[in-house]
Every structure is written in structure tokens, then in C-alpha cells.
Amino acid sequence: MRKRLAGILLTGVAAAAMALSAAPAQAAPTWSVTGSPGGTLSGAAGTTTLTDGGVVLKCTSSTAGGTIANGTGLPGTNIAQITSITFVHCTGPAGLTFTVTQSGVWALNAVNYASGVTQGTITNVTAALSGPGCAATVSGSVAGTYTNSTAVLNVDPTLNAALGTQLTVSGASGCFGLIHNGDHPTFSGAYTITPNTIAITSP
């Protein structure tokens, strides 16, 4: 009797497993981008901030350039790219001054959409910080939002945990001992995008 019950239970478990494995995978959401003639974009920000624990490094302004997909039925991954980015007049504590140099192409990825606002990530981020007696590399990913009505791409560290993004410091040297390898700084900045007609949506 026990063997029979065990056989019935095993048969039921096997059937359930087969049913689950046969169920179709949920399709990833698709995206639409309109208002991007030529597929290029630029962005301009006021103050941007890199925060590493109690250390705050600020740049008075920043500009960016890149490309963006155009059309419907698009994947969210790599929906746009930052091909160039510059930061102006960057300073920190203890009189620390530095320049920021981009490396590679940074990918913008659309993740969630609601009421005209897209949450997403910027991945493949690599930037070298350099200045008198100071050098470090910051790499990883950041999170943010793009709002259609304002054409603002807002890099927002409060979304890092929800979207699984993180920056990491490597190659740190000097910098008055304020920046260390393995630190996880956060970055914030609001970029007004041109053309301001770009709209990203998802059904």
C-alpha cells in the first residue's frame, strides 16, 4: 500500500514538472521610440555628483552625445547608447580636482514603463578619474528614469537596489586616501535631452 501511494505521489510530481516545463516562457516587453529623427541625441546637465561614502565629488556641468533606436517592437536592452560624455570643473574635498574620461560606449536599457516614465539602467559604464596625485577608475552601472513630457534623463541612485545597478572603484592611487579600491560610489545628475520630442513607451 505504501509503495502504491509513493508511486502515485511520484507520478503526480512528475506530471506537474512536465506541465511547468511545457508552459511557454513569458515574452519580454517590447518598446517604441518616436521623435528621434536621425537616431541621434545629446544631453546637458547642471551639477553632477559622485558620492563615495562621505566623499562628494561635484562637476559644475556635463554634456553627452549618443544614438537611440527608432521604431516599434524594440528590445529594451541597448535601446540607446552614450558614445561621448564630458564633465566640467570637477572638484572634491581637500582641494581635490580631477578630470573624468569616458571609456567605451555606455548602453541605456529600458526596464519598466508607467505613465510616460521609463525606468532603466546605464550599463558598461567605465570612467577614469585623474588629477594631481590622484587616479581611479569607476565602472559598473547606474539606474535612472526618462520622462517623456520633460525629456529629462535623471540618473537616480535611489533606484540602484531595485534595478540591480552598482558602481565600483578600482585602480585607486593617492587622492589623499579618500577613494579606495572596492568602494561603491553613487552618481546623480539630470540631463535634458535634445531633441525634446523623443518619447519611449511600452504597451
Side-chain angles (χ1 to χ4, degrees):
M1 185 64 177
R2 289 181 179 177
K3 290 183 178 180
R4 184 180 178 187
L5 287 174
I8 292 172
L9 287 173
L10 288 172
T11 301
V13 170
M18 290 179 64
L20 288 173
S21 63
Q26 187 174 0
T30 58
W31 297 80
S32 298
V33 178
T34 58
S36 58
T40 60
L41 59 81
S42 61
T47 301
T48 62
T49 304
L50 182 74
T51 303
D52 184 0
V55 178
V56 179
L57 306 175
K58 290 187 176 182
C59 301
T60 58
S61 64
S62 176
T63 57
T67 60
I68 188 167
N70 195 36
T72 60
L74 303 169
T77 301
N78 204 31
I79 201 168
Q81 304 80 36
I82 296 175
T83 56
S84 64
I85 190 165
T86 60
F87 297 88
V88 176
H89 192 224
C90 301
T91 59
L96 178 66
T97 63
F98 62 98
T99 59
V100 181
T101 305
Q102 176 193 19
S103 179
V105 176
W106 302 356
L108 282 77
N109 313 286
V111 178
N112 303 311
Y113 174 80
S115 303
V117 178
T118 297
Q119 290 185 342
T121 63
I122 303 176
T123 55
N124 198 39
V125 172
T126 302
L129 311 181
S130 61
C134 178
T137 297
V138 176
S139 58
S141 56
V142 296
T145 58
Y146 177 75
T147 303
N148 293 335
S149 61
T150 61
V152 171
L153 175 64
N154 183 37
V155 183
D156 182 359
T158 66
L159 296 175
N160 285 345
L163 297 182
T165 54
Q166 180 177 266
L167 295 172
T168 302
V169 173
S170 62
S173 174
C175 305
F176 304 102
L178 298 173
I179 301 173
H180 310 90
N181 291 334
D183 286 355
H184 299 299
T186 60
F187 177 79
S188 61
Y191 290 79
T192 299
I193 301 300
T194 301
N196 62 5
T197 53
I198 293 176
I200 301 174
T201 58
S202 181

